[in-house]
Amino acid sequence: MHRIALSVIPAVACSLIIERHPVTDEASRLQCLYDVVNIAKASLCKPIRAAEHQMQLLQVQAVFRHGARTPTTDSNYKDIPNAEPFFWDKSQLMTTLPHVDIEYKVQLPDGKCRPNSLFEEFYRKSGTLEGGCFSGQLTKVGQQDAYLLGKWLEDEYINKHKLFRMYSTKDVYVRSSNIDRTILSAKCVLAGLFSKDGFKEVPVIITSEHDDEILYPNYSVCDSLKKWYTYIRSNVASVLDHSKDYEHISSILGRMNKTMSFLALYDFIVTRKAHGGFVPVDLMQEEFLISKRAAEFQAYIITGDDRLLGLRRSIGAFINVLCSNITDSNKTEKMYLYSAHDTTIIALLMVLDLWEEKWPAFSSSIIFELYTNQVGNKFVRVLYNGTAMSLKIDGHTEYYPLNNIKSGRDNQFLSISKKGCVDFFK
């Protein structure tokens, strides 16, 4: 069965704090959102069942990882004993599947044309993989991943909840990082969500200039985040001592290049598995260990030694957007689609306190659903991998009354830079 990950952030619950304790600035709203985990422990929520309250779905926010892609470091196979080369056949893997071949356009929020992508320029300068594909590109397998996610969304929100019937920019907002694999994944999700005759207009995918990107930890444009990242990278080996596990892997496989990381090993495994490529049997037997160590490494890169501060800097600006979508009465969209990356999903899972050190699969997603009942009270539900999550709120209920969530501590002073980086002031 195809694995689809969907979920909703308890951070959303924070917006209810805003309803009860209004804030006048974006910084306070963001702090509310980040406090959600601690808020949950101090909240007065009681279990709520949707069926008992005849709730109506008002809004959906889906944050998803792109579909399967080519590896980002193809040369790594040469550093793995007994690994065979894989032919990344451009003529086969990079063709467009007929059922996702829809018209669409990509633009900046102000309507200007899509800017050049620094990531795509890097991939192309790095040269082609054996077979003609560039690194980091969405493949036919990845197109189908994203399309199936779109079909799930169609069944759940068009067929079941009747949230809307056809695509319209008034109802559906689509945002992607400015990288080919995420933009094409967004297109494929739209193709699954709406049939080819289900578009009132040409769908629009909004992207961003590199300096304004907030859909992933943007280390390259934020000075404080860059310094943080440099510090964390220099300390990660001493904090997370994976040397014994690395020696274990090397002893099983044979002499392995010391520059190989668990991140690179895991990328090697998952990209080959997704496309039917050969993975040495001994390496496959250690997939769980490699995945766990890679996940631990990435999580530490995101948070460092200070979980709250790390999450603020890495994903704070995006979380602020998710929260604002719920609390801003001027926003009329019924669905928000965010095509992003594994680092995005990992960071959001950590904010939600749902992180279990399991790397999110291709097309994994987190969904936030906003409901109202007959008397106008609002509730939020979180889905991950299509499953409703019981967050750590009193009662462990699926549906969280927004007005019953109370902050467990005073707000800090936060400021969000124009580049999307969160600076922390004490």
Side-chain angles (χ1 to χ4, degrees):
M1 180 180 292
H2 180 75
R3 292 174 295 175
I4 297 178
L6 303 162
S7 173
V8 182
I9 223 166
V12 167
C14 214
S15 57
L16 293 181
I17 302 174
I18 297 172
E19 290 184 10
R20 187 166 181 175
H21 303 285
V23 294
T24 58
D25 60 279
E26 294 297 302
S28 296
R29 181 182 288 112
L30 178 59
Q31 179 58 45
C32 284
L33 189 55
Y34 275 113
D35 282 344
V36 70
V37 172
N38 289 328
I39 292 169
K41 298 175 182 177
S43 69
L44 302 177
C45 293
K46 293 183 179 180
I48 297 294
R49 294 194 179 108
E52 296 175 356
H53 294 263
Q54 299 181 5
M55 289 193 286
Q56 176 188 358
L57 183 65
L58 299 177
Q59 181 194 95
V60 172
Q61 297 188 79
V63 185
F64 54 90
R65 186 188 179 192
H66 55 76
R69 55 161 173 74
T70 58
T72 54
T73 50
D74 178 65
S75 61
N76 284 334
Y77 82 84
K78 299 176 183 177
D79 300 324
I80 301 174
N82 303 317
E84 299 175 358
F86 182 74
F87 193 73
W88 297 95
D89 191 340
K90 181 178 180 180
S91 64
Q92 292 294 321
L93 292 175
M94 302 305 295
T95 55
T96 300
L97 296 174
H99 51 282
V100 303
D101 190 15
I102 62 172
E103 184 180 0
Y104 69 103
K105 56 184 177 182
V106 183
Q107 63 186 43
L108 293 172
D110 60 5
K112 293 181 180 178
C113 295
R114 176 192 176 187
N116 291 333
S117 170
L118 297 183
F119 283 94
E120 295 306 324
E121 290 178 1
F122 171 79
Y123 292 141
R124 280 156 178 73
K125 286 180 181 178
S126 299
T128 59
L129 309 177
E130 186 171 358
C133 291
F134 287 107
S135 296
Q137 302 303 301
L138 190 75
T139 62
K140 288 198 299 186
V141 176
Q143 292 174 42
Q144 186 67 5
D145 286 341
Y147 175 78
L148 290 175
L149 173 58
K151 296 305 291 182
W152 189 94
L153 294 171
E154 176 194 32
D155 185 61
E156 189 71 13
Y157 300 114
I158 295 181
N159 299 337
K160 179 180 176 180
H161 286 285
K162 314 295 183 185
L163 196 58
F164 41 68
R165 189 172 65 86
M166 300 180 71
Y167 171 86
S168 168
T169 53
K170 294 180 180 179
D171 293 328
V172 182
Y173 173 85
V174 189
R175 171 79 163 84
S176 171
S177 61
N178 188 25
I179 302 175
D180 287 355
R181 61 179 176 268
T182 50
I183 290 174
L184 293 176
S185 291
K187 180 202 74 168
C188 294
V189 167
L190 285 169
L193 181 58
F194 303 97
S195 60
K196 287 197 174 183
D197 58 355
F199 295 92
K200 291 182 180 179
E201 52 194 288
V202 175
V204 177
I205 300 173
I206 302 298
T207 191
S208 174
E209 294 280 3
H210 184 65
D211 287 358
D212 296 322
E213 189 54 80
I214 62 172
L215 289 185
Y216 52 79
N218 198 345
Y219 305 111
S220 62
V221 298
C222 171
D223 288 338
S224 62
L225 187 57
K226 186 186 300 182
K227 292 177 182 177
W228 169 273
Y229 180 71
T230 301
Y231 169 77
I232 295 304
R233 291 288 301 205
S234 64
N235 286 275
V236 65
S238 59
V239 174
L240 300 178
D241 186 2
H242 292 162
S243 58
K244 290 184 178 179
D245 290 326
Y246 196 86
E247 291 173 4
H248 168 67
I249 299 295
S250 295
S251 66
I252 291 175
L253 297 177
R255 188 172 182 80
M256 189 166 59
N257 191 307
K258 289 292 184 181
T259 62
M260 284 292 291
S261 67
F262 281 111
L263 288 175
L265 280 171
Y266 190 58
D267 187 65
F268 172 88
I269 292 173
V270 295
T271 53
R272 289 208 172 194
K273 281 179 62 178
H275 299 92
F278 172 77
V279 179
V281 175
D282 290 338
L283 189 60
M284 278 300 303
Q285 292 176 343
E286 300 298 330
E287 180 182 5
F288 176 80
L289 173 63
I290 293 169
S291 171
K292 185 174 177 61
R293 294 296 175 255
E296 289 174 352
F297 181 89
Q298 186 60 61
Y300 185 75
I301 291 298
I302 291 173
T303 65
D305 299 320
D306 189 325
R307 181 187 180 93
L308 179 61
L309 179 55
L311 288 172
R312 283 175 179 157
R313 285 175 163 165
S314 298
I315 202 72
F318 178 44
I319 291 180
N320 184 65
V321 170
L322 296 175
C323 190
S324 296
N325 289 341
I326 292 178
T327 60
D328 189 346
S329 59
N330 293 320
K331 294 191 176 183
T332 60
E333 289 87 353
K334 297 178 181 178
M335 176 175 281
Y336 295 84
L337 300 174
Y338 294 99
S339 185
H341 304 267
D342 46 10
T343 51
T344 316
I345 300 297
I346 290 172
L348 291 181
L349 288 174
M350 296 182 79
V351 170
L352 292 169
D353 208 15
L354 294 174
W355 174 240
E356 297 180 342
E357 296 182 343
K358 295 179 181 179
W359 203 279
F362 293 122
S363 288
S364 292
S365 65
I366 296 173
I367 292 182
F368 308 84
E369 298 176 335
L370 178 65
Y371 290 87
T372 186
N373 64 8
Q374 290 180 315
V375 296
N377 295 324
K378 294 181 180 179
F379 305 82
V380 171
R381 189 168 79 140
V382 175
L383 304 175
Y384 182 55
N385 290 337
T387 301
M389 295 287 101
S390 288
L391 303 175
K392 296 178 181 178
I393 293 179
D394 187 31
H396 292 265
T397 175
E398 284 186 26
Y399 295 86
Y400 306 92
L402 294 183
N403 289 325
N404 285 358
I405 297 179
K406 299 171 67 177
S407 178
R409 60 179 181 170
D410 294 333
N411 288 334
Q412 305 282 343
F413 294 96
L414 291 171
S415 176
I416 303 174
S417 76
K418 293 181 179 179
K419 293 181 178 180
C421 171
V422 180
D423 293 316
F424 183 59
F425 301 97
K426 295 184 177 179

